[in-house]
Amino acid sequence: MEKLLPLKFVVVGGSIAGLSAAYTLARAGHQVVVLEAVTEAQLGIPHEGGVRVPPNMARLMRAFPGVSSILEEKGTKLTALEFRTETSKIEGAMSFDPQIMSDLGSEFYLVPYYDLCVHARVQCDTQPNISFRFGFKVRQVQTFEDGASVVTSSEGEREEGDIIVGADGRNSVVREFMMSQMREDEDDQDSCSNSTGPGVLALVRDIPGASLSIKVSDMMEHEDLKTLTTSTTFTVWMGNGDAVTGGRHGDIYVLGLTKAKSLDAVDSDLDWHQSTPSSNFLPGAPTDYNPLVRKLVSLADRAHPTMQVMHHLDGYVDMNERAVLVGDAAHCSCEDAYTLGTLFSHLVSRSQIPSLLKGYNELRMPRSKACATSEISGMLNNQLPPGDHRTLRNKGLNHTLTIANAPSEHAEDLAALWQGWITLTNYDAKDAVDEWWLNWGRHIQALGGD
């Protein structure tokens, strides 16, 4: 006789993606246990860093009661993007047209990570079917075709459940477990698979970088930085082999460095609650970057180094169909969490589990590839060395300034400029699940879930 519902999900990692998955799964009626590596006391210590919340993410995050207030009161509502050279010469800009943002259903926000994460955790605490285990450092993950899946801590503690959700970030233990399954399967078949295929993703393996946070109150003491303390613009300083991004996330100004040249001394990235002196991450040679950028870096006491590795996975579900990846463990998107929760809101029988997880893969794999391709293409474009390619890039960016000065005379160019960004940010994960369910899921359910 089939076991009774609901399912028990074990979410590994209390990140925003993990908490979002826990909340949506709990709202769908399932039992959820969240395993967090740090202690409850450590979680209470404010940590630095920010989150970019574009319209597609903001619409989903509002599933948490009170998120709209967090975005408005704790964050910064962006009005424009600007692109500058390392010497701070402006090359291009893109203003967020109010009508376009209205059509997208949300503004674009920059929010302190800590504020958003704390709010999500508080909302999870309101759900009686969500529980937390703190200080649970995951050492091993096991799944089986039949029987419970098991997560084991470094202290030998165990947590069993029906499905394991890997939300444990860039250094994901759950992802490593799934990749070990893939390697064993490749050895058995004497073959090798690469799901990404040709394209820009094949050009990048590791993305070293760092995140630095500066208190806006500290910046106010410096006359040359005061304009940034009220800025609603997100800036990209494009360098030679590296780049710096900057934006005010509420009461902190967050710098993001990619391909930081001194990162070679760092073996790997650190967990979110760890940091290193910011002096390790001064971008470029002493004369490369504008003094203002270097001054910002020097004002940050600590830096959080990262090493984002492009894992070429065949899917986000393990071979036993009992583990699934979300967020940074997969490819850096909170859309995963809402897709998973919405799919499993349709569960009426355990026989549906394989088909719902297959639907998750079908929905998330092409979407994640599109997002990753856009991100990597932009990153490479922002780091071009001097030469013909950089000149051509700057010429294209310069045209955005012409459009901004006379938008009515360049309506077609304006539409083309916005098209790619609108395509990415107009995506609605819930609508995608609803469409999948109408076209496939309900019919599979009618056939018994297989």
Side-chain angles (χ1 to χ4, degrees):
M1 182 177 178
E2 185 178 274
K3 293 187 210 174
L4 296 176
L5 298 175
L7 298 181
K8 178 182 176 183
F9 287 83
V10 179
V11 177
V12 180
S15 61
I16 291 176
L19 295 170
S20 299
Y23 187 83
T24 53
L25 288 166
R27 295 287 290 176
H30 300 289
Q31 296 293 324
V32 183
V33 177
V34 180
L35 306 179
E36 174 54 61
V38 302
T39 65
E40 199 165 5
Q42 286 175 307
L43 283 176
I45 302 172
H47 50 274
E48 299 173 341
V51 182
R52 300 176 203 171
V53 186
N56 53 304
M57 181 176 170
R59 294 192 304 269
L60 293 174
M61 288 297 296
R62 288 191 171 94
F64 285 105
V67 160
S68 292
S69 296
I70 294 294
L71 296 177
E72 294 289 340
E73 297 170 12
K74 299 289 187 180
T76 298
K77 186 188 300 183
L78 284 184
T79 59
L81 304 175
E82 65 176 16
F83 298 86
R84 296 177 177 272
T85 63
E86 59 268 71
T87 60
S88 225
K89 176 191 174 186
I90 190 163
E91 294 287 357
M94 181 175 171
S95 296
F96 292 142
D97 181 86
Q99 184 58 54
I100 291 177
M101 302 308 290
S102 176
D103 292 343
L104 288 172
S106 179
E107 302 290 343
F108 193 142
Y109 297 90
L110 302 179
V111 189
Y113 181 90
Y114 180 75
D115 291 323
L116 199 56
C117 201
V118 167
H119 184 78
R121 195 176 304 115
V122 168
Q123 294 305 313
C124 283
D125 283 337
T126 67
Q127 301 301 306
N129 46 342
I130 298 179
S131 60
F132 287 84
R133 293 187 67 176
F134 299 105
F136 195 107
K137 298 180 180 180
V138 175
R139 176 178 58 84
Q140 185 182 48
V141 172
Q142 294 171 290
T143 65
F144 308 93
E145 291 183 11
D146 298 306
S149 301
V150 182
V151 181
T152 306
S153 77
S154 56
E155 301 296 324
E157 299 173 292
R158 288 162 58 93
E159 187 66 53
E160 296 184 359
D162 296 299
I163 296 178
I164 298 169
V165 180
D168 45 343
R170 290 181 299 269
N171 298 319
S172 173
V173 176
V174 181
R175 185 188 58 236
E176 181 54 36
F177 159 73
M178 291 170 57
M179 293 187 72
S180 69
Q181 284 184 325
M182 288 173 54
R183 288 190 290 268
E184 289 175 6
D185 187 58
E186 290 167 358
D187 290 341
D188 291 341
Q189 298 181 28
D190 193 26
S191 65
C192 183
S193 172
N194 185 341
S195 63
T196 59
V200 69
L201 296 184
L203 300 176
V204 178
R205 178 72 173 86
D206 303 329
I207 307 173
S211 174
L212 297 83
S213 301
I214 307 102
K215 293 179 181 178
V216 168
S217 57
D218 290 343
M219 294 169 60
M220 287 291 293
E221 298 177 7
H222 301 266
E223 196 65 36
D224 54 345
L225 299 179
K226 282 187 177 180
T227 56
L228 295 178
T229 64
T230 57
S231 174
T232 57
T233 297
F234 186 79
T235 303
V236 180
W237 287 277
M238 305 174 292
N240 176 11
D242 52 23
V244 180
T245 61
R248 182 171 62 87
H249 295 57
D251 59 2
I252 59 173
Y253 194 92
V254 179
L255 290 177
L257 283 59
T258 54
K259 293 286 182 72
K261 294 181 178 179
S262 58
L263 199 66
D264 295 339
V266 179
D267 294 329
S268 63
D269 64 348
L270 302 179
D271 290 333
W272 62 263
H273 59 284
Q274 298 175 313
S275 62
T276 191
S278 62
S279 57
N280 293 343
F281 297 96
L282 290 174
T287 58
D288 281 355
Y289 276 82
N290 181 277
L292 181 142
V293 178
R294 298 183 64 80
K295 184 173 185 176
L296 281 170
V297 173
S298 68
L299 285 177
D301 292 332
R302 309 289 294 176
H304 176 75
T306 61
M307 180 66 77
Q308 185 175 329
V309 180
M310 303 303 293
H311 297 280
H312 297 167
L313 298 170
D314 288 329
Y316 299 141
V317 178
D318 85 309
M319 292 182 178
N320 293 323
E321 297 175 323
R322 290 296 182 270
V324 59
L325 300 177
V326 301
D328 278 359
H331 59 86
C332 309
S333 174
C334 279
E335 291 175 350
D336 303 332
Y338 294 93
T339 299
L340 186 67
T342 306
L343 280 169
F344 275 86
S345 69
H346 293 288
L347 187 77
V348 296
S349 167
R350 288 177 180 250
S351 62
Q352 288 176 269
I353 293 175
S355 61
L356 292 178
L357 290 177
K358 181 180 179 182
Y360 178 82
N361 257 341
E362 290 175 351
L363 289 167
R364 296 312 304 159
M365 288 297 289
R367 170 64 176 170
S368 73
K369 185 174 181 179
C371 292
T373 299
S374 175
E375 179 183 352
I376 299 305
S377 297
M379 182 199 72
L380 295 175
N381 199 47
N382 294 337
Q383 300 180 11
L384 293 174
D388 292 343
H389 290 294
R390 176 186 268 212
T391 300
L392 187 62
R393 177 202 69 189
N394 291 348
K395 183 178 179 181
L397 287 172
N398 291 161
H399 189 52
T400 66
L401 301 177
T402 303
I403 294 173
N405 290 330
S408 60
E409 298 176 16
H410 301 274
E412 291 186 6
D413 290 342
L414 185 63
L417 174 67
W418 276 93
Q419 187 55 50
W421 191 81
I422 290 175
T423 299
L424 283 177
T425 57
N426 196 40
Y427 180 88
D428 192 300
K430 290 180 180 178
D431 286 350
V433 172
D434 290 343
E435 183 178 352
W436 180 89
W437 178 254
L438 288 173
N439 291 335
W440 301 101
R442 60 178 178 159
H443 303 299
I444 295 171
Q445 178 183 337
L447 294 172
D450 296 326

